[in-house]
């Protein structure tokens, strides 16, 4: 049994990851540390596990093999490097870090310590993503010209997000760096790496971070990626559009169990309804397998670094009101 330490319950998904760990047959939550001691003690008491007053103390525990990191985003680098140096395997909420430089420092520490690192990028492994990749591999859409992915909710107007999610110092951003991560890494997965990023952030509820956002990804061949997100939309479906020189693919607008594909490469300019695939093992399961086998989750880490690049560029673009080339970012 792999004993896991929870490092903070700051993030809204921390409870979900603790549940994953306790439900997995090979892992269990065995200790908790939190930068908020009141919250940490409450979570430890609820789970009947020890609460550690300091991170150092938890990381010195020989019983703890791995940690789940749900700290504020601004603490990711320091916490994960400290965990890696202590020889602990790391599962973390996205984003890996707010800047490319910090992300690379984390990965360097992980590689030096030879511990497993996996980042929660859940929609990469969902059945619709796997089915879409098959369609693209078949070339039914021709050369891709545009990908648009939208994911939004009403957390800022229904007030179910915690207030600390709006603190810029802790989060390094709002809707885009949190919820927009999912459409961002999917757009990157389907279209590849862009040359430059242009972002516009809106502040509908007047908070310190954006609650309404769009990022455009610009490609050398003329293709465009459109990433849409927000905390101010109560009934916005999760949708994917992919367009190319030979056809289009739609997901989420109609039957959530099917992809809708039209293509000039099909007989009579035909259309297809494609059942979505079974999902691949989720990121947490991949992390556990990595600990047990020593096999690194390389694709996951590559995409996590790419996601950090795009988020750093988006934040810079919105702040400076200009297109930001990825080559500008400090590695």
């Amino acid at each position: 049994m792999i004993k896991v330490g929870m490092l903070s319950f700051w993030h809204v998904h921390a409870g979900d990851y603790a549940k994953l760990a306790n439900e997995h047959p090979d892992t269990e939550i065995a200790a908790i540390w939190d930068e908020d001691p009141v919250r940490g003690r409450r979570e430890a008491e609820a789970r009947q596990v020890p609460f550690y007053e300091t991170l150092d103390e938890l990381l010195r525990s020989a019983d703890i093999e791995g940690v789940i990191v749900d700290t504020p985003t601004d603490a990711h680098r320091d916490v994960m490097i400290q965990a890696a140096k202590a020889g602990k395997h790391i599962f973390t909420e996205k984003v890996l870090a707010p800047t490319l430089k910090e992300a690379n420092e984390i990965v360097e520490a992980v590689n030096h310590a030879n511990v497993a690192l996996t980042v929660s990028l859940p929609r990469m492994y969902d059945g619709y993503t796997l089915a879409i990749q098959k369609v693209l591999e078949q070339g039914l859409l021709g050369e891709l010209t545009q990908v648009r992915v939208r994911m939004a909710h009403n957390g800022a107007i229904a007030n179910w997000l915690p207030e600390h999610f709006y603190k810029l110092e802790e989060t390094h951003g709002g809707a885009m760096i949190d919820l927009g991560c999912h459409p961002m890494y999917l757009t990157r997965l389907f279209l590849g790496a862009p040359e430059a990023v242009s972002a516009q952030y809106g502040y509908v509820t007047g908070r310190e971070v954006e609650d309404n956002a769009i990022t455009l990804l610009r490609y050398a061949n003329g293709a465009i990626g459109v990433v849409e997100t927000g905390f101010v939309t109560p009934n916005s479906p999760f949708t994917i559009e992919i367009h190319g020189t030979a056809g289009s693919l739609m997901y989420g607008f109609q039957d959530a169990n099917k992809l809708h594909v039209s293509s000039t490469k099909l007989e009579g300019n035909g259309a297809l309804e494609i059942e979505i695939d079974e999902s691949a093992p989720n990121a947490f399961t991949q992390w556990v397998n990595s600990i047990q086998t020593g096999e690194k989750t390389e694709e996951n880490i590559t995409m996590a670094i790419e996601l950090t690049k795009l988020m750093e560029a988006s934040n810079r673009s919105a702040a400076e009101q200009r297109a930001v080339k990825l080559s500008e970012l400090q590695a």
Side-chain angles (χ1 to χ4, degrees):
M1 183 68 69
I2 300 169
K3 294 185 182 298
V4 175
M6 285 293 299
L7 304 188
S8 181
F9 279 79
W10 177 88
H11 201 279
V12 292
H13 292 312
D16 298 328
Y17 299 132
K19 187 171 184 287
L20 274 176
N22 280 330
E23 289 180 350
H24 194 286
D26 297 330
T27 59
E28 65 177 2
I29 299 299
I32 291 171
W33 166 82
D34 199 306
E35 72 279 357
D36 179 343
V38 174
R39 181 175 60 205
R41 290 190 192 96
R42 181 176 65 243
E43 296 291 346
E45 288 173 7
R47 291 168 174 77
Q48 297 184 322
V49 298
F51 172 73
Y52 286 82
E53 295 288 342
T54 69
L55 178 59
D56 281 341
E57 187 182 6
L58 185 149
L59 294 177
R60 283 199 301 268
S61 173
D63 291 338
I64 302 300
E65 293 183 59
V67 294
I68 297 174
V69 178
D70 277 290
T71 65
T73 305
D74 72 317
H76 273 200
R77 175 201 173 276
D78 292 346
V79 167
M80 282 189 252
I81 288 178
Q82 196 172 343
K85 288 181 176 178
K88 310 302 183 187
H89 304 290
I90 303 167
F91 181 83
T92 180
E93 176 61 271
K94 45 71 181 164
V95 291
L96 178 58
T99 68
L100 175 61
K101 182 176 185 294
E102 290 174 284
N104 284 336
E105 288 171 348
I106 291 167
V107 172
E108 182 180 1
V110 163
N111 289 339
H112 182 75
N114 195 30
V115 295
L117 169 66
T118 307
V119 182
S120 180
L121 307 174
R123 292 175 185 267
M124 271 187 63
Y125 312 110
D126 283 339
Y128 51 80
T129 301
L130 304 182
I132 288 169
Q133 288 179 287
K134 288 181 180 178
V135 171
L136 299 183
E137 288 167 3
Q138 292 169 11
L140 289 177
L141 306 187
E143 181 182 356
L144 298 188
T145 57
Q146 182 176 325
V147 171
R148 172 181 173 264
V149 187
R150 175 172 178 81
M151 188 175 185
H153 60 53
N154 66 346
I157 54 176
N159 294 317
W160 55 263
L161 282 175
E163 278 303 312
H164 58 247
F165 258 50
Y166 308 112
K167 294 182 179 179
L168 182 60
E169 184 179 359
E170 295 183 22
T171 61
H172 285 263
M176 184 55 73
I177 202 168
D178 177 62
L179 192 61
C181 279
H182 303 293
M184 186 69 83
Y185 63 69
L186 289 177
T187 303
R188 167 64 179 81
L189 180 67
F190 301 143
L191 269 183
E195 283 188 330
V197 165
S198 299
Q200 289 292 327
Y201 290 174
Y203 299 81
V204 176
T205 60
R207 289 177 163 95
E208 190 178 14
V209 299
E210 82 281 359
D211 52 25
N212 197 26
I214 182 169
T215 296
L216 299 179
L217 311 184
R218 187 182 76 207
Y219 291 80
N221 67 350
I224 298 171
V226 184
V227 176
E228 299 178 6
T229 192
F231 291 161
V232 290
T233 312
N235 294 304
S236 178
F238 168 61
T239 55
I240 299 173
E241 296 178 46
I242 304 180
H243 305 283
T245 55
S248 294
L249 179 152
M250 312 287 278
Y251 173 76
F253 295 90
Q254 298 165 307
D255 187 347
N257 294 314
K258 294 179 181 177
L259 309 180
H260 295 265
V261 177
S262 59
S263 173
T264 59
K265 297 190 176 185
L266 297 171
E267 186 176 351
N269 277 348
L272 285 176
E273 289 187 347
I274 300 174
E275 299 284 343
I276 65 173
D277 291 357
E278 290 187 12
S279 295
N282 63 34
F284 186 83
T285 299
Q286 292 181 40
W287 179 59
V288 175
N289 180 70
S290 181
I291 294 171
Q292 294 172 327
T293 66
E295 182 178 345
K296 303 297 185 183
T297 54
E298 293 182 2
E299 181 186 25
N300 174 276
I301 300 307
T302 297
M303 190 58 69
I305 293 172
E306 291 296 302
L307 174 60
T308 292
K309 283 184 189 178
L310 294 169
M311 286 300 166
E312 181 182 3
S314 291
N315 284 341
R316 286 184 59 178
S317 174
E320 299 172 15
Q321 287 295 285
R322 67 178 181 89
V324 173
K325 294 182 178 180
L326 297 192
S327 59
E328 297 179 45
L329 304 181
Q330 181 182 359

